[in-house]
Amino acid sequence: MPRIASVLLPMPLPEAFDYAEPEGLGLVVGEHVTVPLGPRVVRGVVTAIRDGTGGNRPLKPVLERLDDPPLPPGVLTFIDWAAKYSVDLAAWPLAMALRGLRHPPAKPDRVLALTGTTPARMTPARLKGLAAAQQGPMSAAALASLAGVSAGVIKGLVDEGALAVAFVAPDTRFPQPDLTRPAQTLNPNQSASVQALGEMLAAGGFQAALLDGVTGSGKTEVYLEAAAKALAADPDAQVLVLLPEIALTQAVLARFEARFGAMPAEWHSGIAPPRRRRVWEAVADGQARIVVGARSALFLPFRKLALIVVDEEHDSSFKQEEGFIYQARDLAVARAKIEGALVVLASATPSLETLWNAQQGRYRWLRLGTRHGAAQLPDIDLIDMRVTPPEPGRWLSRPLVEAMAVTLARGEQTLLFLNRRGYAPLVLCKACGEKMKSPDSDSWLVEHRYTGRLVCHLTGFSMKKPEACPHCGAKDSLVSIGPGVERVEEEARHLFPEARVAVFSSDTVFDAAGARALVETMAAGEIDILVATQAAAKGHNFPNLTLVGVVDADLSLRGGDLRAGERTFQLLAQAAGRAGRHEKPGRALLQTYAPEHGVLQALKAQDRDAFVEAEMAMRQDAGLPPFGRLAAVIASGPDPIALDAYCQALAAATPNAEGVEVFGPADAPLALVRGRRRKRFLVRADRSVNLQGFMAAWKARARVPNSVRVVIDIDPYSFL
Ligand code: ADP
């Protein structure tokens, strides 16, 4: 019986296409194939096979089966689920799942091996070469260096037939975790949590838990032991740990290495393509048993995923905002459900969505109350900037500077936290008032002093800082307004010339190795004052850090969006939690112009429950997540008339649906990006509504002109 293969291609097509299976090919779902698409040959993945011929229109045949490891069924289901969830094409999650395969497979290594033939002419150098070759096959260079002879001598031995060339598969084995190594002695709270997770693993099937404990309470230790249990229970089981920032992976990798005596596989955008290929293959064949990575690791081809940990689950970096839009924490729960795995969401400040699920009993709620051992939570105090303002042109108030001086005198470390890259967020002309803007976007240019450039953080556009105002031509009239980390660093150096000051932001630390180096320098006590954006506010553990100064505690409250309060609370609680993680008590000082604000009062009182309760009540009243659902439509295009016409047509086509409210179209707050105008709709729906179904049906009702791009964002985090 002839068969038809549905092949999903990683390109913008509405669905999988059907191809005829050449007789005897024996394709299996998940295999990689090449197929014709118009005049091109493209690669794709078989998602279904059925009997048939395609009827009266004969189908084009599958051309070739590729050797790459097939995608397991769980991944295929997950791709389909993720696409439906995001109301987008399955091609995009498929492309993410294939990311590890872009690099060609590793070539076999060329090695030399003894043949047993003795060369006709023996010399002392040749003898050395043959002696070294006794150690086993190796490359010509390795052999020459081991024997201490020249490359010519080795070549002579090959020419004489004493050594033969062979090709062997490169050594791609992954070190296996040693499960016999002892665990740390856990404190009673940790033991109870590990036991609960162990029971959940033993029960099997999909389950979810919230691991809720203040920073430093030992959550990492708990999920290490949960991983140990999962790996020990089944020799094929695999564990995935998702982290919000590449900068955090190093510390977690080191903890796993210390616990299991083997480095886990690492997966994020900073991994070189050949290495990525190896990790992908090792995950697919089950050799890589522990993977630590960024959100995209969720799309890896795990064979037998038993446990997913989402650490810092509240972190908004889990939301991917560009290309395929998804929230990795939510997709992690979905993947666990598909795989029948346990998912553990860990945080000191869980998202309201997760807390609500825990309150409803959908997630098992495991609490680690206090910090491990002697470590105490830091005291948090507010500095009222209206009462003690800094000097003009300065950003650090007297109480904070005094606390820094005391800390420095004690030989302890200070972290100054400001979530703003660069030197100054705005440059304006004091002669004409012109604000320096990106030429094709609606955003101010940020001054970077290290590079002497003005940079658009939205699009990456940059220009040399001009000497005269480009608008009025006045010379030396451009002034820097407001602080970024570079400016705070300058002030710290000025105040404490003898102190060692460093900056941690994505402009000073480019990759995982740089992050590791800076974190190690800080941990070793070789920095006195670290000025950092959120890249350093999370996760890290610095024993001698006892003072955290938050330069602008009001910054993220100004965003004014749905999660502004929640985000501020989380970010500042995390930042404050960096202080006093070991024996020495810590202190956090928050500079604010609105000390009476509920979020800041809750932080000062360290009363997370009160904050959560107030925030939940507000969301419930307004029907906002987690009590209702949101989605955004962002339409953009270079031609304002076509864009307006499309938005009007879409508005007119809004389906009537109970429990759904549609707002818009409105100009987006960022109304111009890269020369494209932007408009937004916001949809609020009751929880009972099938929001994805509504969005898909709505979008299908209005034809999209060529010049317009439409993006659907389910559960938006950014409202810009
Ligand atoms: P969290 O993940 O909640 O921030 P960690 O697991 O990183 O907390 O623990 C904080 C610190 O306490 C770390 O230095 C960790 O090594 C240490 N620690 C946690 N639990 C234990 C334990 N049971 N025994 C010894 N040290 C521990």
Side-chain angles (χ1 to χ4, degrees), residues 7-17 19 31-35 37 40-47 66 71 79 89-99 101-102:
V7 178
L8 186 63
L9 306 171
M11 43 188 60
L13 300 167
E15 58 194 355
F17 284 177
Y19 291 89
E31 281 185 319
H32 307 264
V33 292
T34 55
V35 293
L37 184 73
R40 289 195 293 162
V41 173
V42 294
R43 63 175 289 163
V45 172
V46 178
T47 54
L66 302 171
L71 293 186
I79 287 171
L89 302 175
W92 304 138
L94 174 70
M96 300 193 59
L98 299 182
R99 207 176 258 179
L101 294 178
R102 280 193 212 146

Side-chain angles (χ1 to χ4, degrees), residues 184-187 190 213-224 255 311-312 348 368 371-373 375 539 541 578 581-582:
Q184 296 255 33
T185 313
L186 300 177
N187 67 35
Q190 289 176 317
V214 295
T215 50
S217 57
K219 297 184 290 297
T220 311
E221 216 59 47
V222 169
Y223 70 68
L224 279 170
R255 297 277 288 268
D311 202 354
E312 313 284 357
L368 298 175
R371 283 197 163 182
H372 179 77
N541 226 332
R578 292 307 110 210
R581 287 180 52 107
H582 289 253

Side-chain angles (χ1 to χ4, degrees), residues 385-524:
M385 299 289 270
R386 297 167 305 195
V387 179
T388 51
E391 289 167 31
R394 304 227 173 265
W395 317 99
L396 304 176
S397 63
R398 193 177 34 77
L400 179 52
V401 173
E402 283 169 4
M404 288 170 70
V406 171
T407 307
L408 198 60
R410 281 206 209 111
E412 295 169 0
Q413 293 168 304
T414 297
L415 172 78
L416 292 179
F417 174 72
L418 177 61
N419 207 16
R420 223 190 234 149
R421 293 161 50 202
Y423 184 84
L426 170 65
V427 175
L428 65 72
C429 170
K430 63 179 186 243
C432 72
E434 171 81 356
K435 293 179 180 129
M436 299 293 289
K437 274 189 162 186
S438 200
D440 62 350
S441 301
D442 231 1
S443 69
W444 294 341
L445 293 174
V446 177
E447 179 178 4
H448 285 243
R449 284 257 164 118
Y450 288 153
T451 53
R453 298 186 79 80
L454 305 181
V455 182
C456 172
H457 285 182
L458 200 63
T459 63
F461 165 86
S462 80
M463 61 188 267
K464 205 171 160 308
K465 187 179 174 188
E467 283 173 8
C469 171
H471 188 66
C472 70
K475 278 231 158 215
D476 298 325
S477 68
L478 294 178
V479 289
S480 314
I481 307 292
V485 278
E486 291 177 13
R487 198 167 199 178
V488 172
E489 178 205 16
E490 184 182 88
E491 186 171 342
R493 283 189 197 281
H494 173 82
L495 287 165
F496 303 103
E498 73 291 8
R500 295 160 299 175
V501 184
V503 173
F504 191 154
S505 85
S506 56
D507 300 300
T508 59
V509 174
F510 306 104
D511 54 18
R516 183 171 44 217
L518 190 60
V519 166
E520 278 168 7
T521 313
M522 179 74 183

Side-chain angles (χ1 to χ4, degrees), residues 545-707:
L545 171 62
T546 55
L547 175 64
V548 169
V550 175
V551 177
D552 185 352
D554 311 331
L555 185 60
S556 61
L557 278 174
R558 279 178 223 134
D561 69 57
L562 152 74
R563 290 185 181 83
E566 184 186 355
R567 205 172 34 231
T568 303
F569 187 87
Q570 289 162 343
L571 198 57
L572 298 187
Q574 286 286 335
R578 292 307 110 210
R581 287 180 52 107
H582 289 253
E583 287 73 27
K584 297 174 187 160
R587 191 171 175 209
L589 295 175
L590 278 47
Q591 298 195 135
T592 170
Y593 286 91
E596 62 287 342
H597 195 292
V599 170
L600 292 163
Q601 286 296 327
L603 277 164
K604 178 173 156 57
Q606 309 217 6
D607 193 345
R608 190 187 93 187
D609 293 346
F611 168 75
V612 168
E613 201 179 313
E615 192 73 10
M616 286 268 197
M618 184 277 284
R619 302 256 188 112
Q620 185 155 26
D621 278 350
L624 293 172
F627 302 96
R629 307 191 58 204
L630 293 182
V633 178
I634 304 111
S636 64
D639 171 4
I641 295 170
L643 180 65
D644 273 345
Y646 170 73
C647 288
Q648 290 312 325
L650 189 64
T654 310
N656 247 331
E658 184 132 1
V660 180
E661 296 164 88
V662 175
F663 306 96
D667 285 339
L670 279 173
L672 182 70
V673 175
R674 292 192 180 94
R676 299 176 75 88
R677 311 234 146 244
R678 301 169 78 247
K679 289 193 163 272
R680 299 182 65 107
F681 291 86
L682 184 66
V683 180
R684 195 212 66 81
D686 294 346
R687 282 188 63 88
S688 55
V689 171
N690 172 1
L691 181 59
Q692 277 84 355
F694 175 87
M695 298 302 289
W698 183 24
K699 187 180 168 196
R701 283 178 167 206
R703 204 190 63 80
V704 184
N706 283 338
S707 67

